Each structure stands twice: as structure tokens, then as C-alpha cells.
Amino acid sequence: MSDSPPGSIRPSLAWEVGTGALLLVTAGSGVLVVLSVALGLAVQDYLGSDADMSPLLTWLYENPDRAYGIDALGLLLTFASIVGFFVWRYRTRALLRRYGLDPVSLTRHPGVVTWGVATFMAYCCAGGLVEPGTYDSVDGMVDLLQIVVFSGVLRLVGLAGLMIAVWQIRRRVHLSLGAYFPPAFTPPSPYAATPYTALPPYTATPPYPATPPPPYAAVTTPPVTPPAPADGIPGIGDLPVADDDFWHRVRQAAADTELALLETSGPGLHRWVLIPAGRELDAVRASLAPGAAITVFTEPPVRRETNGYRPPEAAEYHGLLESAVTGALRHQSVGPRSLLSFLDRAETGGRWALYPVGDPNALAARLP
């Protein structure tokens, strides 16, 4: 089961398989540790008493090497979980870097620290287990079993911390990739800086021209023509120019609430810009591309539940999605077939809105 919303970016299948294998190895190591601790406690209870031991405990007492085989298998799985975790964390960070996410903070968890400290302490306490044959007496065997139980409990605590950490880091990766939006395309500005060209050297000219100009030459002024609208934007020629009166109406609409402005600078090139409430619009106007079509919707985007939401009737919508992680805005053209997928993504993100294409209540114009 994935935590990523439908239609969003998801980790690769190889990464998911590696995550599941690491969890299985860690769980298997924990099961063997629990078995080792349980057998150690049972043998310790029977040692020194007159009660008859069960056949299993008798076999373990008479064959201590076999008992240590169970513990050795647990140590092998613990070593496999150590190697597997560092390989898995390396691949996870490489996956996060690919999408520009912070790999360190998303893979940091206190459970990893707990696992490392508990595992180190367990192996320090189990240092006397390398020569089990020295414990020939009943009292020596009891001391040995106490060490086994104590180190097993430490290892169990560490493995539990590792499983919790891996599971929560996996969920962070799914949520971060699900909320990731690729950077929006920004059209090149026509006012881009041009390289400096040196002027030609000054050449002296005679004070009087060789041929004097005709007296009373007519001075003509070229006619001023408005700039042509951007190519390929349907209906932009019918829109009024965004003059001071238009921006005055926008300022009045945004007096008490933040509004969404949609900039259309070419075929399929849409960009959302938020108009702050009750502020001057100089910064917003400076960020818009000349010649683009702009539409200001009078309803602000909000964070709300998608269950039971009914959009206004329209053949197509302009969808606004805000990333819950970065706050970036994304435009999505929404039709009847893509409405459910849009609402699924909106449920896991920040603010969102659906605006009908051609909304009569919106303020539309074209930039000069």
C-alpha cells in the first residue's frame, strides 16, 4: 500500500522491494532474539531446582553448542540488517536528491540512533559468550543465561527502533514525492540584457553640411500602435487592455482576501500568481509577462475537505494546487474525466481551488 496520492510521483519498484526486504530481515532477527531470550529465561528457571525439565530444555542443557546456533543465526541476521540499512539509506538519499528534496532531514530518525546504541551495548555485554565451555557449574550457567537475556533485550529494543524508523522514513518519502511539483516553465523576458557593443570612434565632421537641408522640412511622427497580443491564446484579441481602471477593480476585490491570478503567456503556458490582500500590486504587475492574458478569480483558494465537494457546472476547469511542503503553486487543466484524480491530489496537499473556464465573475484582461 502506498501513501502517495494517485497520479503523483512514486518511488521505483526496486526501492519498494529493498524496503520490504530490510523490514523482513529486521523482523526475522527480532523473532530469533525473542526466542533466545525466552529459552534463556526458561532454562534459568529450571536450573538449580528439583523439577523435571522438559525434553527441549534438557536437550538445550545437554547440547549447549546447538543453543548457541540459534543465537548465531540471530547475530547473522542482525549483521544483514546493519548492511542492508546503510545500503537502503544510500539509495533513499539518492532518490530524494533526484527531485531536489533534502535527503538528510527526511532520512533522520531517533529510532536509528536507538538501534545503534542498543546494538553496541548488547555486543559489549555479550563479550563473555565467546567461550561458553568455561561455564561448567550450575551457577556459571545461570550467569551465562543472565547475560544472554540482558543482551537479547537490548538487541530487541534496538531492532524495534530500526523497524519504526524505516517505516516512518518510507512514509516521509511517499508524502514528499506525492507533494512534489516540477518547477513551472517561465517564458523568457523580452527585456533580457543584451551584450554591450562599443561605439565607433568619433570622427570630426565639418561645421556645415555639404548640402544644406531644404527649408521648412516637414517633421513626421510615426504613429503609435499598441503591441500585438501573444500568439496562440484563444480570445485574447477580445480582451480589454489591463489599464489603471482594471487594476483598481482588482485592488478592490483583493481588499479583504487573497486572490488567485492566472497568467496565460502562450498555448498551454499557465502560471498562478497570488495577489496579497490589501496591498499594493506593483510587485505582482512587475512579475507578469508582457502581452499575456490574465484572469483574476474572485474566490480565494482554501484548504478544505474534498469529500462531498461539488464544483460549479462547467465543461473544463482551471485547477490550482498548492504543495504542502514547499508552497509552490501548480496549474492543472481539469475535465470531467480528471476531476476525481484532481480531488485526490488536493486532499493531500495545501490550498486548492477549481475555477470554471470562462467564469463570468472573473476579471480578465491582456497586458500591454
Side-chain angles (χ1 to χ4, degrees):
M1 181 177 181
S2 173
D3 298 316
S4 302
S8 61
I9 300 175
R10 300 185 181 183
S12 63
L13 179 61
W15 184 85
E16 293 285 6
V17 171
T19 305
L22 177 59
L23 291 173
L24 287 177
V25 170
T26 306
S29 179
V31 169
L32 289 180
V33 171
V34 171
L35 179 61
S36 177
V37 171
L39 290 177
L41 291 174
V43 173
Q44 182 178 344
D45 291 339
Y46 279 106
L47 288 177
S49 64
D50 296 334
D52 294 334
M53 292 190 296
S54 64
L56 176 60
L57 296 180
T58 302
W59 179 82
L60 290 174
Y61 183 70
E62 295 177 352
N63 302 275
D65 294 337
R66 303 292 180 86
Y68 283 100
I70 299 176
D71 191 62
L73 181 58
L75 294 177
L76 179 61
L77 290 179
T78 302
F79 178 76
S81 64
I82 294 174
V83 176
F85 170 75
F86 284 105
V87 173
W88 175 81
R89 188 175 67 174
Y90 173 80
R91 296 185 58 192
T92 302
R93 290 183 174 181
L95 173 66
L96 295 173
R97 289 191 190 97
R98 187 184 310 165
Y99 295 98
L101 301 173
D102 187 4
V104 178
S105 61
L106 291 177
T107 56
R108 184 180 298 160
H109 194 276
V112 178
V113 180
T114 303
W115 168 60
V117 174
T119 303
F120 177 77
M121 293 178 60
Y123 288 136
C124 289
C125 294
L129 299 181
V130 293
E131 297 181 359
T134 58
Y135 298 92
D136 297 331
S137 62
V138 174
D139 294 336
M141 183 63 72
V142 170
D143 294 337
L144 173 62
L145 293 174
Q146 289 176 351
I147 296 176
V148 171
V149 171
F150 183 72
S151 63
V153 171
L154 287 177
R155 287 165 53 193
L156 193 60
V157 171
L159 292 173
L162 177 61
M163 290 194 66
I164 295 174
V166 171
W167 184 261
Q168 292 191 356
I169 292 174
R170 172 189 176 274
R171 187 172 184 272
R172 290 179 189 173
V173 172
H174 278 273
L175 293 178
S176 299
L177 294 181
Y180 171 80
F181 293 149
F185 172 76
T186 303
S189 174
Y191 302 103
T194 56
Y196 172 76
T197 304
L199 295 176
Y202 173 75
T203 303
T205 56
Y208 301 102
T211 303
Y216 309 105
V219 179
T220 59
T221 302
V224 178
T225 57
D231 297 332
I233 303 178
I236 190 174
D238 300 331
L239 297 177
V241 179
D243 53 9
D244 293 339
D245 180 64
F246 172 80
W247 289 110
H248 177 68
R249 286 184 289 146
V250 172
R251 189 181 298 107
Q252 287 182 335
D256 300 325
T257 183
E258 191 176 40
L259 298 183
L261 181 149
L262 179 64
E263 175 194 80
T264 304
S265 55
L269 298 179
H270 302 287
R271 183 172 70 99
W272 288 110
V273 178
L274 292 181
I275 300 177
R279 297 185 184 179
E280 293 297 328
L281 305 180
D282 296 339
V284 174
R285 296 175 64 175
S287 65
L288 301 176
I294 58 174
T295 306
V296 180
F297 297 96
T298 56
E299 293 186 4
V302 294
R303 187 193 298 267
R304 56 186 166 186
E305 295 290 336
T306 59
N307 293 333
Y309 172 76
R310 287 181 171 270
E313 294 185 3
E316 191 177 1
Y317 303 89
H318 294 294
L320 184 150
L321 291 171
E322 181 185 48
S323 172
V325 179
T326 63
L329 301 178
R330 179 181 179 181
H331 175 272
Q332 179 178 340
S333 296
V334 181
R337 295 184 177 180
S338 57
L339 179 60
L340 293 180
S341 63
F342 174 85
L343 294 177
D344 288 338
R345 298 195 67 179
E347 187 176 359
T348 59
R351 294 177 296 176
W352 62 275
L354 274 175
Y355 300 113
V357 175
D359 186 358
N361 298 323
L363 303 176
R366 64 181 177 91
L367 297 176

